[in-house]
Amino acid sequence: QAGTFKQSPWSATTTKTVSVCSLTDVMSEQLAKQLDEESNAFPDFPDVVLDVGEALDTDSDLMLAQMLQMQFDKEFDTQLRTEEKKFNGDSKLSISFENYRMVHPYEDSVSSEDEVDWQDTPHDPYKADKPMTTPRKGFTGKGKNITTKHDEVVCGRKNTSRMDNFAPEVNVGDGLGMDLKLSNQVYNSLKQHCYSEQRRSSRLHEKKEHSTAEQAVDPKTRLLMYKMVNAGVLENINGCISTGKESVVFHAAGGSMEDKAVPNECVLKVFKTTLNEFKNRDKYIKDDYRFKDRFSKLNPRKVIRLWAEKEMHNLARMKNADIPCPEVVVLKKHILVMSFIGKDHVPAPKLKDAMLSSEDMKKAYYQVLHMMHQLYMECNLVHADLSEYNMLWHEGKVWLIDVSQSIEPTHPHGLEFLFRDCRNVSTFFQKGGVSETMNPYELFNVVSGLELTGDSEADFLVQIEALEKRNEDHVQRRGKKTYASSTSDGGPPLLHDEDD
């Protein structure tokens, strides 16, 4: 259609032709989109120069500054998230930059103000409700619907809720959520098991804290070692050299003492304070007449100190007889400081591990034979655990170690231990190819000076036991108790603490 209209009442009438379009074109989506874009388009305004000198409202400036700061914080947080994602990459372990993000007070919160995090409240909406408690009267309901406190279902749910009182290390799971019902018998068994496990865990922890284990020392032993360093007896303590059934051996650098010289390299023999290794060792000391009276009056832990003192006295006897052995520096409770058999932090090899030629093996055999005879005749001792594991090869000769279990021949089982030593020595050197090696019976007679005969080991042991019995009766009639007070055999000094 076409029509006319007036632009103003004073102007001449003009005719304007209006384009005709159909209804389909008007409802067209393309046309609607075009109209929408035209309506949303911003007109291009020329650059407007603001008058700096114009007085602006102070409140408006503050709002503008806050909006600019908020925009800056958003851009900074976006950049920080990009850096965080780039830094973590595909790693399973990610590092958060949350603490470095800017939180603006005017920034809209994603969550509603009325929303409350249930984790910050004492009530957990996902936690199963605890069973209802039985009232004081002991039952609920009326008539046939009475439920007492002894009801099976009520008791089962109540026992399940009580599992929350178990120790934290006991994983009880979500029994309430599963509507689990425990009988009294099962609950009591679980309760007793948890109690037993707690006691066992405490006992193991206490044992670990107060005992010397493999290559480790308890706090009290560590304190004694630090005291030696602080006193100047040792310069420093290095790593562990070896471990055995009864002790742990550490290497140390020697310091100085006023009354005697300290070697440049020393060893600390720390006797284990665990009692398991000493339960079958009491026979070596309780029947030794030097320590018999003291052994009966000591508790098991003090026996370990007595064991260390026993080795100190035995080494002192051997040193007086010029038998190659470690020299004792000082004894501190259950820690024995001795000279180091080796060089430059490298311990001397055991006779079992030493690579000896046939001549050196033959030389070692005669040295061991001579030392056994000296030990028996001059030191009045029997090693009682002599083998290739307790003999070292250093500077072309054999050194004896580990004499804490050594006893006197008057011990009720002294001759039996001597025969066992002879058997170990003969077996080792026979396997080593020494043709001059004597059998255990001949070696026993040579070392002890006795003249026992026997076709078999059983017959030989019968004669030894008879001789031990006769010696024991003779010693008991004489009332021999030969314990020296402290260092009568020329031993080193004993260090005592204030608590001894």
Side-chain angles (χ1 to χ4, degrees), residues 291-489:
F291 305 93
K292 187 174 182 180
D293 293 340
R294 299 175 63 193
F295 177 83
S296 60
K297 300 176 183 178
L298 295 179
N299 57 44
R301 290 195 176 274
K302 289 189 177 180
V303 171
I304 301 170
R305 301 184 188 180
L306 195 61
W307 193 269
E309 184 180 341
K310 187 169 183 281
E311 177 161 4
M312 180 196 69
H313 289 292
N314 292 338
L315 287 174
R317 287 191 184 186
M318 295 169 61
K319 201 66 179 178
N320 292 336
D322 294 330
I323 297 177
C325 65
E327 180 181 358
V328 179
V329 178
V330 72
L331 173 66
K332 181 74 169 180
K333 291 187 177 180
H334 59 284
I335 301 179
L336 185 62
V337 182
M338 301 175 290
S339 59
F340 178 67
I341 308 300
K343 186 178 181 181
D344 296 334
H345 296 218
V346 180
K350 298 178 182 178
L351 201 58
K352 177 183 180 299
D353 302 326
M355 305 299 294
L356 302 181
S357 61
S358 57
E359 291 295 328
D360 289 338
M361 185 67 72
K362 182 177 179 181
K363 178 182 177 181
Y365 171 72
Y366 284 107
Q367 287 182 8
V368 173
L369 181 61
H370 179 65
M371 286 190 296
M372 292 180 66
H373 187 269
Q374 274 187 302
L375 199 64
Y376 188 87
M377 295 297 180
E378 299 180 23
C379 301
N380 196 29
L381 289 175
V382 175
H383 192 283
D385 193 22
L386 188 62
S387 65
E388 60 272 20
Y389 296 94
N390 292 329
M391 292 184 286
L392 305 180
W393 180 258
H394 180 58
E395 296 179 348
K397 58 183 178 180
V398 180
W399 297 67
L400 291 183
I401 61 172
D402 191 12
V403 292
S404 58
Q405 73 287 330
S406 299
I407 56 177
E408 291 189 346
T410 54
H411 189 278
H413 303 284
L415 297 180
E416 295 179 34
F417 293 148
L418 177 61
F419 179 74
R420 187 177 62 184
D421 293 345
C422 295
R423 183 173 52 194
N424 293 338
V425 171
S426 297
T427 303
F428 172 73
F429 284 103
Q430 284 176 358
K431 292 181 180 180
V434 180
S435 58
E436 292 84 353
T437 305
M438 293 182 288
N439 58 47
Y441 315 113
E442 297 174 348
L443 183 58
F444 177 86
N445 289 330
V446 170
V447 172
S448 62
L450 302 175
E451 296 181 358
L452 302 182
T453 58
D455 298 334
S456 63
E457 183 175 340
D459 297 339
F460 206 82
L461 288 176
V462 168
Q463 298 183 47
I464 290 177
E465 291 176 0
L467 186 59
E468 288 176 342
K469 179 63 176 175
R470 188 164 60 251
N471 290 340
E472 184 179 2
D473 294 340
H474 177 68
V475 170
Q476 288 181 355
R477 284 196 301 268
R478 293 179 56 187
K480 182 178 181 181
K481 297 179 181 179
T482 60
Y483 170 69
S485 58
S486 58
T487 57
S488 59
D489 50 3

Side-chain angles (χ1 to χ4, degrees), residues 129-232:
D129 296 332
K130 289 192 175 182
M132 297 294 294
T133 57
T134 308
R136 280 184 127 184
K137 57 185 179 181
F139 65 92
T140 58
K142 295 181 180 180
K144 297 181 179 180
N145 297 326
I146 290 180
T147 302
T148 65
K149 62 180 181 180
H150 302 292
D151 184 74
E152 184 178 358
V153 177
V154 174
C155 288
R157 290 174 177 168
K158 190 181 297 183
N159 291 336
T160 302
S161 65
R162 287 175 179 172
M163 289 197 303
D164 292 340
N165 299 327
F166 287 171
E169 58 268 15
V170 180
N171 299 322
V172 297
D174 187 15
L176 291 175
M178 297 184 296
D179 195 19
L180 183 65
K181 305 176 186 64
L182 293 179
S183 64
N184 292 336
Q185 182 179 1
V186 175
Y187 172 75
N188 292 333
S189 299
L190 289 175
K191 183 179 178 181
Q192 184 63 31
H193 173 72
C194 294
Y195 178 70
S196 301
E197 286 296 314
Q198 278 186 297
R199 293 189 60 185
R200 187 180 70 87
S201 177
S202 301
R203 186 166 58 251
L204 291 177
H205 179 72
E206 181 181 1
K207 182 179 179 181
K208 181 180 179 180
E209 288 294 326
H210 296 86
S211 63
T212 305
E214 292 292 334
Q215 302 184 14
V217 294
D218 59 293
K220 291 185 178 179
T221 304
R222 193 179 301 113
L223 182 60
L224 293 176
M225 296 166 69
Y226 288 157
K227 285 184 178 180
M228 290 184 182
V229 176
N230 293 336

Side-chain angles (χ1 to χ4, degrees), residues 21-31:
C21 61
S22 63
L23 182 61
T24 305
D25 295 334
V26 175
M27 301 302 294
S28 173
E29 291 182 1
Q30 183 176 3
L31 182 59

